[in-house]
Amino acid sequence: MDRMASSMKQVPNPLPKVLSRRGIGAGMEAAERESFERTQTVSVNKAINTQEVAVKEKHARTCILGTHHEKGAQTFWSVVNRLPLSSNAMLCWKFCHVFHKLLRDGHPNVLKDSLRYKNELSDMSRMWGHLSEGYGQLCSIYLKLLRTRMEYHTKNPRFPGNLQMSDRQLDEAGESDVNNFFQLTVEMFDYLECELNLFQTVFNSLDMSRSVSVTTAGQCRLAPLIQVILDCSHLYDYTVKLLFKLHSCLPADTLQGHRDRFMEQFTKLKDLFQRSSNLQYFKRLIQIPQLPENPPNFLRASALSEHISPVVVIPAEVSSPDSEPVLEKDDLMDMDASQQNLFDNKFDDIFGSSSSSDPFNFNNQNGVSKDEKDHLIERLYREISGLTGQLDSMKTESQRAMLQLKGRVSELEAELAEQQHLGRQATDDCEFLRTELDELKRQREDTEKAQRSLTEIERKAQANEQRYSKLKEKYSELVQNHADLLRKNAEVTKQVSVARQAQVDLEREKKELEDSFARTQEQQDVLENLKHELATSRQELQVLHGNLETSAQSEAKWLTQIAELEKEKGSLAAAAAQREEEFSTLRDQLESTQIKLASTQESMCQQVKDQRKILLAGIRKAAEREIQEALSQLEEPALISCAGSTDHLLSKVKAVSSCLDQLEKDRSQYLSCPEDISELLHSVTLLAHLTSDTIIQGSATSLRAPPEPADSLTEACRQYGRETLAYLSSLEEEEPMEKADVTAMRNCLSKIQAIGEDLLPRGLDIKQEELGDLVDKEMAATSAAIEAATTRIEEILSKSRAGDTGVKLEVNERILGSCTSLMQAIKVLVVASKDLQKEIVESGRGTASPKEFYAKNSRWTEGLISASKAVGWGATVMVDAADLVVQGKGKFEELMVCSHEIAASTAQLVAASKVKANKGSLNLTQLQQASRGVNQATAAVVASTISGKSQIEETDSMDFSSMTLTQIKRQEMDSQVRVLELENDLQKERQKLGELRKKHYELAGVAEGWEEGTEASPPTVQEAIPEKE
């Protein structure tokens, strides 16, 4: 019996599970929902944990299947909202990976359920963006990518989560509108830019000198890039197709910006794909496509047929610890129906029907002895072990077959993708040929229209030629008729003269005609016509007589005028002769005057030339004396007490370089035009002054420099003075002036500048980019320090309320409340300072960049950085002092001193911001108001501290009622001794404070490059405010 009992314990009993499944009734749905939520919670917590390992695929797959099961992501977000994503960067990074998988492969409603959390993701992204180390920056960029992805799919709902679309679906997404395609391309560029940014940031965070892809930490960072590679391949393919579409509809100049942006992203994507394909981690998980060597040529439409869509192939899963199937307890107990029926049948055949209440009660089996039962049990064990081995072998074979089938499926999918790509290319070629055919048809129709219009034009031209020939014939006829009419007119005139003669003859022969009237009856009609013409001729003759009389009158007038003009001509001739005599006299006088003027002008030119030489020689000698005087002062003992500024020396060197350029121009101009000497004299004088200042400033700067650079600087200044004297001596005559050269002077200046740059303080060695970025970083760090201080004050106040009561709680609340008000006022001041700083940069930089403006005004920039650091440090120290005061471990005086220090730091920030601001600036007014608010809040902190101190001291007042006279006298003497000790300590501390401030000022001047007398304002303000308080 003991052996049978132990045997029964070793055999798993599947019957209770089967019976329990048969007994489930109407409460199945609630149980399934509870089981589903429990499974999802376990999977999400296992996928998103604090271990720096990659997310396991089985847990992510469970979350994806859960979204399809419930058709949404409510359960996922209900679990995620309980995780501390804002305080743990590893949890946030794994959350981004799992959420990216859900957006790609989950149910479509995941996007709708996640939109309500978009603002929270943005806030979290900004929060993690303040951390530049570890996973902070990665989380910020990944959250920004997810937010961009959600916005893109919200604007373009036709795109599925995995971005897999056909060309027809892509055309439908643009609705065949070029404006929609243009906007869609811009959004894809933004989307791809975020993907590439995450890609690049992950690679930059890895140490590529080691095999990071085989470490768990490296795999944790590289795992999300698989989703990024899948997205980038589709986005690149769609961008190329959309750009070809746009180039077929819009001019090339309009799309220049699109092409430039595509070229930039193409270069980045190709480089990242190349680097990723070399990593061992990706070789076994994904097959990364390779982009072509050269980008597509969008200006050539036929290049679309050469484009090959990148296909990302995920090979068959290999056996790994993460991919091995893990059998849970329920999975071991749950068996499929066929296996359960097999065990039930074998059990019924051997032990009888299962209708009895106890199927293992072998005593009730008739005709079977105990030995036979043991034999049967052993045989069953052997069969079970054999079946178990067969089942294991079948599972192994099925897994191997499944892996082979998956590999074959992957190959077939790749072949299918390639065939689809070839089909799309063929379709595109057909569409391109169809487009070209339509274009040829359209050109043929245009040609036919042009031929028809040409035929019409030729027909019109022929009609015009015919019309022109007809008009020409009409014109020739009119000319001929006009000639005929002229001939007729001549004949008529001749006939008129004949008629006149005939009239005389007719009057004489009238009598003879009367006799012969009968004979001339036939000529009567002709005579009547002649009479009519004669009357007409008479009228014309009268008109001619009138014209002749008018002409005679005008002729008489002209004759009178001619006579008068003849008289005037005679008088003018006489006057002209007289003027000619006067002109000859004046000409002689002019010639004599010109001769005298020429001689005078020659003498004046010679005098002016001599004066110019004398003036140039005088200026040159004065310049030489000034430079020699500066050289003689190099070893003067009077300069030992002076200390020069390296920055001032460099500014003098730059001024001398500019003066040399101008001097060369003026010398060339003087050689070409000797009359213009004013500019040359001005340049020589300026050179002498600047050279003298440079030599003296170099000597003064060498006094503060180390011995070796000081000797080099002094020798360089002396050599520069000698070269300048040599150059000035060459300006004495014209021939040496033409050969004068400033190369040696420039070499000396370069040497002085190099030594000066080596002597610059370390604060001035910051590059332009680092200096510009440092301003923004320090201002952001100050804002973050103030936010942290505000949050910590609230926490201290909460602890005080929970642990203190009575007067102490009241004092703590009043002090912490005033500290909170001070932090709010400082926050407003920092915001106003940022606005004023931005206004100063925008108004003062011109065409330069902000970083160049910061580098150009490095002193002012360093003042801003110093003031910002002081404000952030003061806020942190004041919170520490307030915490100690609330706990009873600190002193109220420390809190007051911290308040004074914050007020001084903010005053320094206001002073540094106010230096370059315009007086009428609105931002300057707001900054001054914020400064007054900080002063008021500081006064409130000091007042509340003093009040709280006095209030607490009142509660701790001493009781002298029980003391005797001797004891009181002894206490009085001790108090007097204590007062004297404290006064002595106070005097020593004041001296120590003065020495500390003096040393602080010296160190700040060396570190930040303050000049004497110019940068004393920040320490002065810092000292004046505590004294005023």
Side-chain angles (χ1 to χ4, degrees):
M1 290 299 293
D2 294 335
R3 178 181 177 184
M4 183 178 294
S6 61
S7 308
M8 292 174 62
K9 288 181 181 178
Q10 294 175 1
V11 179
N13 184 13
L15 292 178
K17 187 69 177 181
V18 176
L19 294 176
S20 63
R21 283 203 301 266
R22 293 175 181 175
I24 293 176
M28 189 64 180
E29 294 182 358
E32 286 181 355
R33 180 63 185 175
E34 183 179 358
S35 176
F36 168 75
E37 292 179 353
R38 183 171 60 255
T39 304
Q40 288 294 306
T41 302
V42 172
S43 299
V44 171
N45 289 327
K46 288 183 177 180
I48 306 175
N49 53 38
T50 57
Q51 298 178 0
E52 193 173 4
V53 295
V55 176
K56 291 188 177 181
E57 190 65 27
K58 60 181 181 180
H59 301 317
R61 189 186 300 114
T62 304
C63 297
I64 294 171
L65 294 176
T67 60
H68 288 281
H69 177 75
E70 69 171 347
K71 295 180 175 57
Q74 294 89 350
T75 304
F76 172 76
W77 281 108
S78 65
V79 178
V80 168
N81 287 332
R82 294 194 294 267
L83 297 177
L85 301 181
S86 300
S87 59
N88 194 310
M90 182 58 61
L91 287 177
C92 185
W93 176 252
K94 289 192 173 183
F95 157 73
C96 294
H97 186 190
V98 176
F99 185 43
H100 196 174
K101 281 179 170 289
L102 294 183
L103 290 176
R104 273 192 57 84
D105 303 326
H107 195 271
N109 290 335
V110 172
L111 178 61
K112 298 179 182 179
D113 295 338
S114 304
L115 287 177
R116 69 184 68 176
Y117 302 102
K118 186 171 67 174
N119 294 331
E120 297 180 5
L121 297 180
S122 302
D123 297 338
M124 200 183 304
S125 174
R126 286 194 296 270
M127 188 270 293
W128 285 116
H130 295 298
L131 298 180
S132 58
E133 298 179 355
Y135 283 86
Q137 197 69 21
L138 296 176
C139 293
S140 176
I141 296 174
Y142 208 164
L143 289 168
K144 184 179 180 181
L145 168 61
L146 296 175
R147 187 175 185 273
T148 303
R149 181 185 181 95
M150 294 167 66
E151 293 176 351
Y152 177 81
H153 285 284
T154 304
K155 293 180 182 177
N156 304 283
R158 294 178 183 268
F159 283 81
N162 55 9
L163 296 175
Q164 294 181 359
M165 296 180 69
S166 62
D167 293 344
R168 182 179 59 81
Q169 292 174 339
L170 186 62
D171 293 337
E172 292 176 355
E175 299 177 357
S176 301
D177 187 358
V178 66
N179 296 322
N180 294 340
F181 285 128
F182 191 92
Q183 182 63 27
L184 185 59
T185 306
V186 173
E187 294 173 358
M188 281 191 179
F189 279 143
D190 297 337
Y191 192 176
L192 186 57
E193 187 70 27
C194 294
E195 300 274 4
L196 295 177
N197 192 13
L198 177 61
F199 216 140
Q200 187 67 41
T201 307
V202 171
F203 272 109
N204 293 339
S205 67
L206 296 175
D207 185 7
M208 303 307 292
S209 61
R210 300 184 296 107
S211 300
V212 294
S213 63
V214 299
T215 62
T216 57
Q219 292 177 1
C220 182
R221 300 192 182 196
L222 292 174
L225 296 186
I226 297 177
Q227 314 300 320
V228 175
I229 293 172
L230 293 171
D231 292 343
C232 290
S233 62
H234 293 297
L235 291 175
Y236 167 76
D237 184 30
Y238 300 153
T239 304
V240 172
K241 294 177 180 177
L242 289 177
L243 283 177
F244 273 111
K245 251 181 219 308
L246 291 175
H247 278 79
S248 64
C249 302
L250 297 176
D253 296 339
T254 306
L255 300 171
Q256 182 63 40
H258 279 51
R259 289 198 299 275
D260 295 342
R261 194 170 183 187
F262 175 80
M263 287 294 297
E264 181 183 357
Q265 294 185 355
F266 174 81
T267 306
K268 291 182 180 179
L269 186 60
K270 182 180 178 182
D271 178 59
L272 293 174
F273 275 6
Q274 182 68 28
R275 294 171 63 183
S276 302
S277 60
N278 297 329
L279 294 178
Q280 187 67 30
Y281 177 71
F282 289 121
K283 289 183 179 179
R284 67 183 185 88
L285 295 177
I286 189 171
Q287 182 177 346
I288 301 174
Q290 296 298 325
L291 298 183
E293 187 67 24
N294 298 318
N297 185 7
F298 299 108
L299 302 179
R300 183 166 57 89
S302 59
L304 179 60
S305 59
E306 303 173 2
H307 170 65
I308 300 177
S309 301
V311 179
V312 180
V313 179
I314 300 179
E317 296 182 359
V318 297
S319 60
S320 64
D322 293 341
S323 61
E324 290 180 358
V326 180
L327 296 179
E328 303 289 344
K329 181 178 180 180
D330 293 340
D331 296 334
L332 291 173
M333 295 176 64
D334 293 337
M335 306 176 66
D336 55 7
S338 59
Q339 294 176 348
Q340 183 61 40
N341 292 333
L342 177 63
F343 282 109
D344 291 343
N345 293 333
K346 287 183 176 295
F347 188 87
D348 292 339
D349 292 340
I350 297 173
F351 298 105
S353 174
S354 60
S355 59
S356 62
S357 60
D358 188 2
F360 294 99
N361 188 6
F362 299 108
N363 294 326
N364 295 330
Q365 302 293 331
N366 296 325
V368 182
S369 63
K370 292 182 180 180
D371 295 336
E372 291 177 353
K373 291 178 183 179
D374 294 338
H375 179 68
L376 290 174
I377 289 173
E378 292 177 357
R379 189 180 69 181
L380 283 175
Y381 280 145
R382 286 192 298 272
E383 290 181 359
I384 289 172
S385 61
L387 291 173
T388 303
Q390 294 178 5
L391 182 61
D392 293 338
S393 62
M394 288 175 64
K395 284 184 179 180
T396 305
E397 291 178 359
S398 63
Q399 287 181 357
R400 188 182 300 109
M402 182 175 65
L403 293 176
Q404 293 177 356
L405 291 176
K406 283 185 178 180
R408 182 59 180 166
V409 167
S410 300
E411 294 176 357
L412 292 176
E413 286 179 351
E415 293 179 359
L416 177 61
E418 185 177 1
Q419 294 296 329
Q420 289 178 352
H421 174 67
L422 294 175
R424 286 196 297 270
Q425 286 185 347
T427 305
D428 295 338
D429 293 340
C430 292
E431 292 180 356
F432 177 71
L433 293 175
R434 190 179 296 108
T435 305
E436 289 187 347
L437 181 60
D438 295 339
E439 184 68 23
L440 292 174
K441 288 181 179 179
R442 186 165 57 254
Q443 292 179 358
R444 181 179 177 185
E445 292 176 357
D446 295 339
T447 305
E448 292 177 354
K449 290 180 182 179
Q451 289 178 353
R452 287 196 296 271
S453 61
L454 182 60
T455 305
E456 185 68 22
I457 290 171
E458 290 177 352
R459 186 179 60 77
K460 290 182 180 180
Q462 291 176 359
N464 290 332
E465 288 179 356
Q466 293 175 0
R467 190 179 297 108
Y468 174 73
S469 61
K470 290 180 181 180
L471 291 175
K472 188 175 182 181
E473 292 175 358
K474 290 288 184 181
Y475 177 71
S476 60
E477 290 178 1
L478 290 174
V479 171
Q480 186 66 31
N481 292 335
H482 182 63
D484 294 339
L485 289 175
L486 290 177
R487 285 194 297 272
K488 287 181 181 180
N489 189 19
E491 291 176 357
V492 170
T493 306
K494 192 181 292 182
Q495 289 175 4
V496 168
S497 60
V498 173
R500 288 176 181 175
Q501 185 66 31
Q503 185 179 4
V504 176
D505 295 339
L506 285 174
E507 289 179 355
R508 189 177 61 248
E509 295 177 355
K510 183 176 182 180
K511 293 180 180 181
E512 295 176 0
L513 288 174
E514 289 178 357
D515 297 338
S516 60
F517 177 77
R519 294 192 299 272
T520 58
Q521 188 67 35
E522 297 105 3
Q523 299 177 358
Q524 188 175 2
D525 296 330
V526 178
L527 184 59
E528 292 292 335
N529 293 329
L530 290 174
K531 286 181 179 179
H532 181 67
E533 292 177 358
L534 181 60
T536 306
S537 299
R538 284 177 178 176
Q539 292 177 358
E540 293 178 355
L541 184 61
Q542 290 177 358
V543 172
L544 290 173
H545 280 299
N547 293 333
L548 183 60
E549 291 176 356
T550 305
S551 299
Q553 293 176 0
S554 61
E555 185 177 359
K557 291 180 180 180
W558 285 114
L559 288 174
T560 306
Q561 292 179 358
I562 288 171
E564 294 176 355
L565 291 173
E566 287 292 337
K567 292 179 181 179
E568 292 180 359
K569 180 180 179 182
S571 62
L572 289 174
Q578 185 180 359
R579 296 295 182 188
E580 185 67 25
E581 293 177 358
E582 295 177 357
F583 180 70
S584 61
T585 305
L586 291 174
R587 186 182 297 168
D588 295 337
Q589 295 178 359
L590 179 61
E591 289 178 356
S592 62
T593 306
Q594 286 179 349
I595 293 171
K596 294 179 181 179
L597 181 62
S599 61
T600 306
Q601 189 173 5
E602 289 179 359
S603 62
M604 289 295 294
C605 288
Q606 186 64 31
Q607 291 178 3
V608 170
K609 188 174 182 181
D610 295 339
Q611 290 292 333
R612 283 199 297 267
K613 289 183 178 179
I614 294 171
L615 185 60
L616 179 59
I619 293 295
R620 182 179 56 78
K621 290 180 180 179
E624 289 177 353
R625 284 196 303 271
E626 187 173 358
I627 294 174
Q628 288 175 354
E629 184 179 354
L631 288 174
S632 64
Q633 291 179 359
L634 281 176
E635 304 297 337
E636 281 287 337
L639 291 177
I640 297 177
S641 60
C642 302
S645 170
T646 306
D647 190 34
H648 187 57
L649 175 62
L650 293 177
S651 65
K652 289 294 182 183
V653 170
K654 291 182 181 178
V656 173
S657 300
S658 302
C659 182
L660 289 177
D661 297 336
Q662 186 63 32
L663 180 60
E664 283 296 298
K665 293 180 182 178
D666 296 339
R667 184 179 65 85
S668 302
Q669 185 177 359
Y670 172 73
L671 292 175
S672 61
C673 181
E675 288 79 7
D676 189 7
I677 195 174
S678 59
E679 296 295 333
L680 180 61
L681 296 178
H682 179 267
S683 298
V684 171
T685 306
L686 182 60
L687 176 63
H689 289 302
L690 292 177
T691 301
S692 176
D693 292 343
T694 303
I695 294 173
I696 294 174
Q697 187 65 30
S699 176
T701 304
S702 64
L703 297 176
R704 296 185 61 180
E708 185 176 353
D711 296 339
S712 301
L713 181 59
T714 304
E715 183 61 29
C717 292
R718 184 179 291 108
Q719 183 64 26
Y720 169 64
R722 294 170 183 171
E723 295 294 338
T724 307
L725 291 174
Y727 179 81
L728 291 176
S729 64
S730 66
L731 299 179
E732 184 175 1
E733 299 294 336
E734 292 185 359
E735 293 183 359
M737 185 183 296
E738 293 178 356
K739 299 179 181 179
D741 190 11
V742 298
T743 305
M745 299 168 64
R746 291 187 186 277
N747 293 335
C748 294
L749 286 175
S750 301
K751 187 175 181 181
I752 293 173
Q753 185 176 6
I755 297 172
E757 290 177 353
D758 292 337
L759 294 176
L760 280 175
R762 291 176 296 172
L764 301 178
D765 294 338
I766 302 175
K767 298 181 180 179
Q768 294 184 8
E769 296 82 1
E770 296 177 358
L771 190 61
D773 295 337
L774 188 59
V775 175
D776 299 334
K777 289 182 180 178
E778 289 299 334
M779 296 300 287
T782 302
S783 301
I786 294 170
E787 292 290 343
T790 305
T791 306
R792 191 175 172 191
I793 288 173
E794 294 178 355
E795 294 177 356
I796 295 171
L797 182 59
S798 300
K799 292 180 180 179
S800 176
R801 288 174 178 171
D804 298 332
T805 58
V807 176
K808 187 174 182 181
L809 177 60
E810 180 182 354
V811 170
N812 292 342
E813 287 181 347
R814 187 161 60 247
I815 293 175
L816 294 176
S818 61
C819 292
T820 304
S821 302
L822 177 58
M823 291 301 162
Q824 297 297 329
I826 294 174
K827 187 186 300 183
V828 174
L829 178 69
V830 171
V831 173
S833 177
K834 287 182 180 179
D835 296 338
L836 180 59
Q837 174 191 349
K838 187 181 297 182
E839 178 185 345
I840 292 170
V841 173
E842 291 297 329
S843 62
R845 67 186 180 93
T847 59
S849 63
K851 292 183 179 179
E852 293 176 354
F853 177 80
Y854 286 132
K856 181 180 179 181
N857 301 274
S858 59
R859 297 296 174 81
W860 175 72
T861 304
E862 290 164 0
L864 282 178
I865 294 172
S866 176
S868 179
K869 286 181 178 179
V871 171
W873 176 81
T876 305
V877 173
M878 192 188 76
V879 173
D880 294 336
D883 190 9
L884 294 176
V885 168
V886 170
Q887 295 177 5
K889 301 178 182 178
K891 298 179 181 180
F892 290 94
E893 288 79 4
E894 293 179 357
L895 189 58
M896 290 188 286
V897 170
C898 292
S899 302
H900 293 320
E901 187 66 26
I902 289 177
S905 301
T906 54
Q908 181 182 355
L909 181 61
V910 172
S913 302
K914 189 178 178 181
V915 169
K916 290 185 176 296
N918 297 325
K919 293 183 179 180
S921 174
L922 181 60
N923 290 325
L924 177 59
T925 304
Q926 294 178 355
L927 180 63
Q928 292 173 346
Q929 293 177 356
S931 176
R932 288 192 289 270
V934 171
N935 292 334
Q936 294 175 0
T938 304
V941 171
V942 174
S944 61
T945 304
I946 294 174
S947 174
K949 179 181 178 182
S950 61
Q951 191 173 358
I952 290 178
E953 289 177 352
E954 288 177 359
T955 59
D956 297 336
S957 60
M958 298 180 62
D959 185 10
F960 302 107
S961 59
S962 60
M963 297 178 64
T964 63
L965 178 61
T966 303
Q967 292 175 345
I968 292 176
K969 188 64 177 179
R970 180 62 181 269
Q971 291 290 336
E972 182 181 355
M973 293 176 64
D974 292 341
S975 297
Q976 290 178 357
V977 172
R978 182 62 177 165
V979 167
L980 293 175
E981 291 176 352
L982 290 176
E983 288 178 352
N984 189 18
D985 294 340
L986 177 62
Q987 185 66 25
K988 291 181 180 179
E989 289 297 327
R990 283 178 176 172
Q991 293 178 357
K992 183 179 178 181
L993 178 61
E995 293 296 327
L996 286 174
R997 286 177 175 173
K998 183 177 179 181
K999 190 63 177 177
H1000 172 265
Y1001 178 72
E1002 292 176 358
L1003 293 177
V1006 172
E1008 301 181 7
W1010 292 347
E1011 295 182 2
E1012 289 187 359
T1014 58
E1015 299 292 341
S1017 56
T1020 303
V1021 174
Q1022 206 168 18
E1023 293 172 6
I1025 290 178
E1027 293 176 0
K1028 181 180 177 181
E1029 294 295 339

